[in-house]
Amino acid sequence: MTPAKRTTRRTTKPKPCPDCTTGQVSESFKVGPRGKRESSDRQEALCLTCFGTGQAPE
């Protein structure tokens, strides 16, 4: 009788998103009543490529 073969599972790390790597991106925004000038400040936004997971879509 041959001994049972043991198989090990190797979990691979998911690939990071090519656009953000963290799930969030910085975006500029516009302020003002009508002229809408671009602000020098930035705000955090959800990455639309990976929807905030930080992993590359398959």
Side-chain angles (χ1 to χ4, degrees):
M1 184 180 250
T2 61
K5 293 184 180 180
R6 292 187 183 195
T7 59
T8 58
R9 289 188 181 179
R10 293 186 184 186
T11 57
T12 59
K13 291 184 181 180
K15 295 179 183 176
C17 177
D19 295 337
C20 65
T21 67
T22 61
Q24 291 184 345
V25 293
S26 294
E27 290 184 346
S28 62
F29 56 95
K30 296 184 177 189
V31 294
R34 294 193 197 275
K36 297 289 185 186
R37 61 182 167 80
E38 188 139 340
S39 174
S40 62
D41 295 329
R42 308 288 281 176
Q43 67 182 6
E44 292 293 317
L46 190 69
C47 176
L48 295 178
T49 304
C50 65
F51 296 110
T53 60
Q55 299 172 1
E58 293 181 19

